[in-house]
Amino acid sequence: MFRSPLAFVILALALSSGGFHAGASAQTATTDRRTHGSASCRVETPVQWNAGHVTWIGNCKDGYAEGLGALRNAVEGTSTELFLGRVDRGNLRSGVLVTAQGYTAGRWEAGSVTQSGNDDQVNRNAILAGFEDGAKAADAISRSMAKHSNPKASRFYTRLAKRLRSQMD
């Protein structure tokens, strides 16, 4: 579903700069899940990601991914997966995981979506907030790509933001 447009992400990463940081390579996991990315911008990954080349597109602060952005996992021979949303000190907090199988949205803790017990309304609100944070992250990346003369990547993230918001209807 996102295979061909995701090819633009590779080009987007090469051209991104100015406040947005493209980190590199997966590292061995430890108790601290914030082991992916560069030494200057570490981030945790969703627990489903066991292999691949992980890259953060977003801001970094004090050695960790911070704020709205996209976490990209490229595994050879499969479609690229994305986490779009909010990250706090390198920890996934709220957003949506985009895979070929669909979306997983909500509040995140230790690399997984969390549930708030049996309260359906609270859980539903967390899912909606995850989609909204994912859409906000896609919008922010789209603006950055447009600013850095990458119109194809900008359009890709704009379309992705619209798709994420349509999940909330």
Side-chain angles (χ1 to χ4, degrees), residues 59-71:
N59 292 317
C60 299
K61 182 179 175 186
D62 299 329
Y64 295 102
E66 183 71 28
L68 293 171
L71 190 60

Side-chain angles (χ1 to χ4, degrees), residues 3 12 14 22 25 32 35-36 42 45 70 83 88 97-98 107 112 114 119 125 129 131-132 138 149-150 165:
R3 288 184 185 162
S25 81
D32 185 349
T35 60
H36 291 80
R42 293 179 305 274
T45 60
F83 169 87
D88 178 35
L97 180 63
V98 181
R107 302 243 183 265
S112 297
T114 63
D119 190 334
N125 289 342
F131 275 114
E132 183 58 29
S149 302
N150 192 336
R165 286 194 173 98

